[in-house]
Amino acid sequence: MKNRRILLTLLLCTLLLMLPLYGCGNGTNTAANNAQTGEQQPAPSAKPTYTIVDQLGRTVEIPKKVDRIVALQHHTLDIMLELHAQDKLVGVLRDWESLLGSYAADVYPGIRNLETPGSISELNVEAVASLKPDVVFVSNQIPKETLAQLEQLGIPVVGITLYVADKEQASTINPSLVNPDEAYTEGLKQAIDLIGQITGTENKAAELWNYVVSNRAIVSEHLSAVPEQDRIKVYMANENMYTYGTGKYVGVAMAKAGARNVAETIKGYKQVSVEQVTAWNPEVIFVQSRYASVLDEIRGDKAWAAIDAVKNGKLIIAPDYTKPWGNPTPESMALGEIWLAKTLYPDAFKDVDLNAMVQHFYQTFYGIDYKE
């Protein structure tokens, strides 16, 4: 019996000595192998990431799985709604309703309950951080110092401009673009792709961009029936006598729709005078729906009376879905350019059922019917 106990004890000791070669010892050998090869194992709590280059030219490390997003730029918020990615939102810019319209709450009723830690031009770093976002989308108007503060906290920040330009021009509100059409077209595509990639909605993003391309082709095809010498002179009237000149998307949209922007001689978004508009003498004046009161001001001011557009009653409010802003959106390219062209040249576009197109877009990408 005593010999048997000694034998069992020796056998147990032998097994314990052999353990490092198997089972638990496997991790020890792996660590040793990693030390020899120089490979670094990620910390157990670290999230897998990848890198992107945002539209401000910054390299940003993004979590592969993004569940919490703060969108402090209305264009980005709009695109997220179109990509059906609103369930990832934990914070939005405080003036989303005045910039986008109340339809955003029809698409996503929960938006009214979200935190609003900033705007397109400023944000509260502590308030943003408290939301524990995986990604924060911002405009090019956010100060660089603020971006740096968020980065120091380890929060990925992605800048969206909706145009392609070098780093210097990407951070300006009125960029100098050599080819605005190309810059905004490629810029919107790039923005849709980036937002789709980050939100995991790549297929919907591709569908959205293909819709834009298809509708733009309809405009180009129908405009071939309108001679160059018959192109109409137009002016976009905004609040406080501001308008869009060269380098802004509205100028591109006008050109795509076969219009001649009378303000093409100015750069960016600038304030002009009634005397200047009178000298340009536009045949049609457009007003954004959010600035509808401007139309009443024009009608009631005798200083505008000599302009052809006023004399002939060619004062037109652009519908909400056209979004004729300084930067493009999928709606403005896919629907706004067709609306503008059809409004100016109804005979050339008489076979285009725009109302049906608008409903199809809203049902496909927003999941709601369009209501004016």
Side-chain angles (χ1 to χ4, degrees):
M1 181 66 72
K2 182 178 180 180
N3 290 338
R4 185 176 294 177
R5 287 177 182 172
I6 293 172
L7 182 60
L8 288 172
T9 302
L10 289 172
L11 182 59
L12 181 59
C13 290
T14 301
L15 289 172
L16 288 171
L17 288 170
M18 293 176 67
L19 278 176
L21 300 176
Y22 306 96
C24 296
N26 219 21
T28 304
N29 288 340
T30 301
N33 290 337
N34 288 341
Q36 291 174 3
T37 59
E39 294 181 7
Q40 296 293 321
Q41 292 297 305
S45 60
K47 290 184 178 181
T49 62
Y50 64 98
T51 58
I52 58 103
V53 176
D54 72 2
Q55 293 194 300
L56 295 176
R58 301 160 53 255
T59 300
V60 186
E61 193 171 356
I62 306 291
K64 285 188 176 180
K65 189 173 187 300
V66 171
D67 296 311
R68 301 178 64 83
I69 293 175
V70 174
L72 299 179
Q73 196 233 37
H74 54 301
H75 300 301
T76 300
L77 175 57
D78 194 36
I79 292 171
M80 284 187 65
L81 296 179
E82 291 170 332
L83 299 182
H84 303 177
Q86 57 264 31
D87 60 317
K88 297 181 183 294
L89 289 166
V90 295
V92 292
L93 68 170
R94 69 176 65 94
D95 44 354
W96 62 266
E97 188 164 10
S98 64
L99 290 169
L100 289 183
S102 59
Y103 77 89
D106 296 331
V107 179
Y108 180 44
I111 194 171
R112 295 195 184 279
N113 301 321
L114 294 179
E115 297 294 327
T116 54
S119 67
I120 58 175
S121 58
E122 56 83 27
L123 60 85
N124 183 306
V125 174
E126 291 76 16
V128 170
S130 71
L131 297 174
K132 296 180 171 53
D134 296 316
V135 171
V136 178
F137 285 112
V138 300
S139 77
N140 58 354
Q141 298 181 46
I142 293 292
K144 293 179 181 178
E145 299 77 14
T146 304
L147 294 182
Q149 286 179 290
L150 289 173
E151 290 169 343
Q152 287 170 4
L153 294 174
I155 299 174
V157 183
V158 177
I160 299 293
T161 64
L162 297 112
Y163 59 83
V164 173
D166 59 35
K167 285 187 178 182
E168 181 180 349
Q169 292 300 319
S171 61
T172 64
I173 299 176
N174 293 314
S176 294
L177 303 173
V178 176
N179 186 331
D181 181 7
E182 183 178 293
Y184 284 113
T185 299
E186 182 58 31
L188 179 58
K189 180 182 185 302
Q190 188 181 89
I192 293 172
D193 287 345
L194 273 174
I195 297 167
Q197 180 182 12
I198 291 169
T199 59
T201 57
E202 293 92 335
N203 291 339
K204 198 67 179 178
E207 181 186 358
L208 180 59
W209 179 248
N210 289 338
Y211 196 102
V212 170
V213 172
S214 176
N215 280 21
R216 272 189 148 187
I218 292 173
V219 175
S220 178
E221 176 187 346
H222 283 69
L223 276 179
S224 61
V226 182
E228 189 68 33
Q229 64 269 20
D230 294 339
R231 302 294 167 95
I232 296 172
K233 296 190 301 178
V234 303
Y235 172 76
M236 179 67 76
N238 291 316
E239 290 183 313
N240 302 315
M241 291 301 301
Y242 275 86
T243 194
Y244 298 103
T246 300
K248 301 302 286 185
Y249 167 67
V250 168
V252 172
M254 288 178 177
K256 285 288 187 183
R260 294 161 55 196
N261 181 11
V262 296
E264 65 181 0
T265 54
I266 68 172
K267 175 188 170 184
Y269 186 61
K270 294 286 180 64
Q271 193 173 38
V272 296
S273 65
V274 177
E275 291 75 21
Q276 179 64 75
V277 179
T278 301
W280 287 333
N281 196 25
E283 299 167 82
V284 175
I285 293 176
F286 289 105
V287 177
Q288 298 182 43
S289 58
R290 56 179 172 168
Y291 300 143
S293 61
V294 172
L295 208 59
D296 294 328
E297 293 172 9
I298 292 174
R299 287 186 177 127
D301 189 342
K302 292 181 180 180
W304 291 79
I307 298 172
D308 283 350
V310 179
K311 287 191 295 185
N312 299 322
K314 296 291 185 178
L315 306 174
I316 302 171
I317 295 180
D320 289 343
Y321 66 77
T322 63
K323 291 190 172 70
W325 302 332
N327 291 327
T329 66
E331 269 182 284
S332 58
M333 280 193 183
L335 300 176
E337 292 175 11
I338 288 184
W339 172 82
L340 183 56
K342 183 177 174 68
T343 300
L344 293 173
Y345 312 107
D347 290 341
F349 287 82
K350 59 186 176 183
D351 65 324
V352 175
D353 187 345
L354 186 55
N355 290 331
M357 294 175 73
V358 171
Q359 290 299 340
H360 181 261
F361 183 95
Y362 268 68
Q363 291 162 2
T364 301
F365 296 108
Y366 288 122
I368 62 172
D369 291 333
Y370 174 73
K371 296 178 292 185
E372 180 63 59

